[in-house]
Amino acid sequence: MTIEDVARHVGVSPMTVSRVINNFSGVRQSTRENVLRAVAELGYSPNPAARSLARHGGRRVGLLYSNPSAGYLSEFLVGALDGAQRSGSLLMIEKCGASEDSERAAIDRLVAGGVTGVILPSPHAESVTAHEQLALHNITGVAVGARLLNQQPNTVRIDDFAAAAEMTRHLLDLGHKRIGFIKGAANQSATAERLLGFETEIRKAGRAASALVEEGDFTYRSGLEAAMRLLASEQPPTAIFASNDDMAAGVMAAAHYRGRVVPGSLSVAGFDDTPIATAVWPELTTIHQPVAGMTETAVRILSEAARGKTPSAPAQPVDRLLPYKLVIRASTGPAPRPDAS
């Protein structure tokens, strides 16, 4: 039984039936009574999802995810849910693998679900395949946490270069001269931007500082393994700056394993300020990236685009830069004396 069946039975439009079911005004009492009687007689049961969608003006926002950091994902989803609630949109979440086929299939499922826009966190934020698939269906996308590229019509991010440079200056100001850096996943622009910010400040320090760079992939395990390599080197660093908090937590574990006191003989810094930053001991010095705020902003951009309030064509991209903050906690301190390092 459909709403059209009820409308035909009463002799009114489906819109009138919808207004009665949702208790909207503007329907004559006699008509309202006829519709309600028909609903009871025919056994019509309104679809809750359809009713919710109607209340939200038909706006559905899709979100892809596959980020390995549970803390980052948690903040990301909180922002998306808050943004959807405040903008009057429905949120559809789709898990996606790293392959191009997986991205295409996930986006096709969102499109089939009637989305009016899609939020793309890294690494999908920088996937040519993902953006081409959205363009194929004429769906607006917002990339979160990535640089604005030609295939990305809209972006919400922080200045990763400036943030990493500020953290590096903090470590240099503490007197550290040998500083390790653990990179993130190679397929994300944030990785390159953070490395560049770090290396730029090290170069500015001249011969007074040296950098030791190790590979990571934003996971706890990669941070632990990279830190073990750094700490086993002939001249180990007195500070390690990891590209996210999960890897920094791995650095802390490696330091404890090797008997390095944090921050007495090794300072540790992270990036993102996810919940793990205050769950480890000592609490982590990090860069606060407003992950939830970035996602909430992305939802707002898509909602306004769906209502026609802002241009969303690739020729008129939205590049929203949100502020970051250096958060100094107990994991960083003055460089140890040469005989103590």
Side-chain angles (χ1 to χ4, degrees), residues 167-179 237-240 252 261-269 282-286 327-337:
M167 178 64 81
T168 307
R169 287 195 299 272
H170 168 65
L171 297 174
L172 290 168
D173 290 344
L174 288 171
H176 294 282
K177 294 180 173 58
R178 297 191 307 280
I179 303 177
T238 61
I240 297 178
M252 303 269 270
V261 178
V262 177
S265 62
L266 179 71
S267 285
V268 180
E283 292 188 352
L284 190 63
T285 293
T286 187
V327 180
I328 300 175
R329 298 195 179 101
S331 69
T332 53
R337 297 188 306 275

Side-chain angles (χ1 to χ4, degrees), residues 260-316:
R260 300 290 294 270
V261 178
V262 177
S265 62
L266 179 71
S267 285
V268 180
F271 202 110
D272 287 339
D273 200 20
T274 50
I276 198 172
T278 52
V280 295
W281 183 86
E283 292 188 352
L284 190 63
T285 293
T286 187
I287 294 292
H288 176 74
Q289 179 175 206
V291 178
M294 291 160 65
T295 318
E296 185 176 345
T297 300
V299 174
R300 188 164 61 249
I301 290 171
L302 290 175
S303 178
E304 291 174 353
R307 289 197 295 261
K309 289 188 175 181
T310 59
S312 57
Q316 298 175 296

Side-chain angles (χ1 to χ4, degrees), residues 120-155:
L120 300 169
S122 295
H124 310 297
E126 294 155 284
S127 166
V128 174
T129 298
H131 287 282
E132 287 180 345
Q133 195 71 3
L134 289 176
L136 179 66
H137 294 288
N138 196 30
I139 298 293
T140 304
V142 176
V144 176
R147 288 199 314 266
L148 186 67
L149 303 175
N150 291 334
Q151 75 270 18
Q152 294 170 198
N154 303 290
T155 302

Side-chain angles (χ1 to χ4, degrees), residues 182 214-217 219-233 240 246-255 258:
I182 303 177
E214 281 287 345
E215 298 286 340
D217 61 10
T219 62
Y220 171 91
R221 173 59 60 178
S222 72
L224 187 151
E225 292 174 351
M228 292 295 281
R229 294 192 295 270
L230 286 168
L231 295 176
S233 60
I240 297 178
D246 283 38
M247 293 196 299
V251 174
M252 303 269 270
R258 295 188 65 87

Side-chain angles (χ1 to χ4, degrees), residues 156-166 190 193-194 197 271 287 289-290 294 320-324:
V156 181
R157 61 190 177 91
I158 66 167
D159 190 334
D160 287 287
F161 172 89
E166 185 169 346
E193 289 292 296
R194 294 172 192 179
F271 202 110
I287 294 292
Q289 179 175 206
M294 291 160 65
R320 198 70 52 81
L321 200 65
L322 271 58
Y324 67 87

